[in-house]
Amino acid sequence: MNSSSLKVLRQWPNSILALVIFFSTTCVSATQPHLLRLSVRGRTFLREPATFSESVSEEFLTFYYNQTLDHFNYRPESYSTFQQRYVVNFKYWGGANASAPIFAYLGAEADLDYDLSAIGFLTDNAHRFKALLVYIEHRYYGKSIPFGSREEAFKNASTLGYFNSAQAIADYAEVLIYIKKKFLAENSPVIVVGASYGGMLASWFRLKYPHVALGALASSAPILYFDDITPHNGYFSIVTKDFREASESCYKTISESWSEIDRVASEPNGLSILSKKFRICGELNNSNELKDFLERTYCIAAQYDAPPSYPVTVVCGGIDGAPEGSDILSRIFAGVVAFRGNMSCYYTSNTTDYPIETIQGWGWQTCSDIVIPTGRGDNDTMFPPAPFNLTTFSRDCTSLYGVSPRPHWVTTYYGGHDVELILRRFASNIIFSNGLRDPYSIGGVLKNISHSVLAILTVNGSHYLDIFPAASTDPEWLVMQRKAEVEIIEGWIAQYYVDLHAITK
């Protein structure tokens, strides 16, 4: 955590800070507003980001757009502006005269910096398409902060009220229209690309702004995990399936561990015993802290269960490989060590996993319009029961932010119910890609809807793996997934040029 993040935290009222830390200690809690992060930075647990050399970093030029605060109202304050960061790579572009395409990455719930190296799909394919690469930062993250500072932007519900997905995609539309004018590229087709929450934004952008984007690649976008379209326990059922497929004994050990944690915690000095056994930094205040930490470990392993390491296999290898005669909690701890490394101690707080700006920002978003109802019942997953309760969820969000979430707004504004019937009638040029080992795939579009609204699935794929940089160790199924995506986009652009020629000749 950097010094500026600590400064912001210290400036929050203690009651708010306590709630932020409390809410952030679970991966996908049924009654708490913070979910396991949807987007790119989560994979840093398993794969360090590519490091820019000076020559490579010089290809990425940073600009700022004077962005409108409120696109949907005409009050005086709506006309306020803030500086929104976007980054452009001109290296591969065939130029405006050739109407060469623009690939636009839509930033999600983190700063843009890591994405420049992590989103390999753009740079890997830019030469083939002679594409201009554009990366746009999401409002309220990174350097794209309204009201002059993060402290002011996160001050209260009034300043946070401009922080939602509809405003974000309107931002992207303004920036892309401006870029096309700035570089005299009005006839250059735009393909938007997004990962996870950013993948949702990419698909919604194509639906809402088809005059700006020719098509969208929406990687691991759970656009159907709203209302009751997807079973609440869907996420956890996939995590459970991943672990059970890796090892039946590992799955059983995890399933049986929760009651054992509670049993030990109930004994005299039980929390101290658990703290020592799991090498916790400091002392546990209750058994839920440890259970949340373990849940998050399993969720991260499943969500990013990618080759060549396959983290679920790593965790289970630790659990199953514990010395013969080890008790159940010793085996569970061996799985933690295998996954997180042999550390002197382990912090249970989620603040060690993600940047504080993401914890703050994603907390607001999941308490306002991005309400993804996740929970589980008795014995329907390997986790203890934690049913989703909208009343409790709304109460907690109201306590934290002073406003209630709008759980039905996403499906009202973007759709989602009867998606196969609805999108077949008017949507086009969207790729929904999913890896079926990704727990969020349960809320994704998993079958073709029309000849141009397509689902590309990989049985062994994980969260947005397809848009990470290609590597020599990639399995054939991943190579073929990316190849299929590229060929589809090539078809969209080829047809666009035919249409452009027909109306301009």
Side-chain angles (χ1 to χ4, degrees), residues 96-294:
N97 290 338
S99 298
I102 298 170
F103 283 4
Y105 173 75
L106 306 186
E109 74 276 24
D111 65 76
L112 198 60
D113 298 325
Y114 174 77
D115 299 344
L116 300 178
S117 59
I119 306 304
F121 186 88
L122 273 68
T123 49
D124 287 349
N125 294 291
H127 177 74
R128 177 171 183 163
F129 287 91
K130 295 182 171 55
L132 179 70
L133 305 183
V134 178
Y135 305 76
I136 313 174
E137 194 164 62
H138 194 296
R139 61 169 52 201
Y140 284 80
Y141 291 108
K143 294 181 170 61
S144 301
I145 306 296
F147 302 105
S149 70
R150 189 173 305 283
E151 177 188 5
E152 286 298 312
F154 284 76
K155 188 174 183 179
N156 52 46
S158 294
T159 55
L160 285 167
Y162 305 98
F163 185 3
N164 58 66
S165 61
Q167 297 280 9
I169 64 173
D171 289 343
Y172 299 146
E174 273 207 23
V175 171
L176 288 169
I177 290 170
Y178 170 76
I179 286 172
K180 293 183 77 171
K181 289 181 179 178
K182 179 177 180 179
F183 300 124
L184 305 176
E186 280 87 349
N187 288 332
S188 291
V190 174
I191 304 296
V192 292
V193 178
S196 201
Y197 167 54
M200 289 194 273
L201 296 178
S203 65
W204 293 336
F205 190 90
R206 169 60 184 165
L207 296 177
K208 292 293 187 181
Y209 298 94
H211 56 290
V212 180
L214 172 67
L217 170 56
S219 177
S220 298
I223 64 166
L224 304 182
Y225 218 140
F226 296 94
D227 285 351
D228 292 319
I229 301 172
T230 297
H232 292 175
N233 73 344
Y235 183 100
F236 291 104
S237 69
I238 299 297
V239 176
T240 300
K241 175 177 173 289
D242 289 348
F243 275 84
R244 194 165 195 172
E245 287 179 350
S247 166
E248 183 72 18
S249 60
C250 172
Y251 152 77
K252 288 181 177 178
T253 300
I254 294 171
S255 298
E256 295 167 2
S257 68
W258 312 111
S259 59
E260 181 65 8
I261 289 171
D262 286 336
R263 186 192 68 77
V264 174
S266 67
E267 296 178 349
N269 300 317
L271 291 178
S272 178
I273 292 170
L274 289 173
S275 297
K276 291 177 181 176
K277 179 173 282 289
F278 284 88
R279 222 181 288 168
I280 302 301
C281 301
E283 288 283 325
L284 292 169
N285 295 306
N286 54 65
S287 62
N288 285 335
E289 287 185 9
L290 175 59
K291 288 191 285 188
D292 288 343
F293 168 72
L294 293 173

Side-chain angles (χ1 to χ4, degrees), residues 2 44 49 58 197 229 292 319 326 387 389 392 408:
N2 60 37
T44 58
E58 288 174 357
Y197 167 54
I229 301 172
D292 288 343
I319 291 173
S326 296
N389 184 298
T392 303
H408 311 299

Side-chain angles (χ1 to χ4, degrees), residues 435-497:
L436 298 184
R437 296 190 70 78
D438 171 18
Y440 276 117
S441 68
I442 194 74
V445 175
L446 302 181
K447 60 197 240 180
N448 293 342
I449 291 175
S450 70
H451 70 280
S452 69
V453 179
L454 303 168
I456 297 183
L457 313 178
T458 52
V459 173
N460 293 317
S462 59
H463 205 48
Y464 57 78
L465 180 61
D466 56 318
I467 67 167
F468 258 63
S472 59
T473 56
D474 288 338
E476 182 66 15
W477 55 262
L478 178 56
V479 174
M480 296 307 294
Q481 179 185 21
R482 293 185 179 126
K483 182 175 183 288
E485 293 166 359
V486 167
E487 289 176 351
I488 291 167
I489 293 171
E490 279 184 328
W492 295 344
I493 293 174
Q495 184 59 53
Y496 170 84
Y497 288 142

Side-chain angles (χ1 to χ4, degrees), residues 417-430:
H417 294 285
D418 300 316
V419 67
E420 184 177 356
L421 173 65
I422 302 303
L423 294 190
R424 182 188 300 273
R425 298 198 326 239
F426 83 96
S428 63
N429 293 6
I430 304 173

Side-chain angles (χ1 to χ4, degrees), residues 10-61:
R10 294 188 189 109
Q11 291 166 340
W12 278 38
N14 288 335
S15 59
I16 297 294
L17 177 57
L19 283 167
V20 169
I21 299 301
F22 172 73
F23 283 148
S24 67
T25 57
T26 185
C27 67
V28 194
S29 170
T31 60
Q32 300 167 357
H34 279 269
L35 304 172
L36 184 63
R37 269 202 67 217
L38 276 162
S39 205
V40 175
R41 195 70 62 84
R43 195 177 288 277
T44 58
F45 236 101
L46 314 169
R47 179 175 181 174
E48 287 300 315
T51 303
F52 276 168
S53 66
E54 288 188 11
S55 61
V56 173
S57 63
E58 288 174 357
E59 297 170 6
F60 292 82
L61 303 179

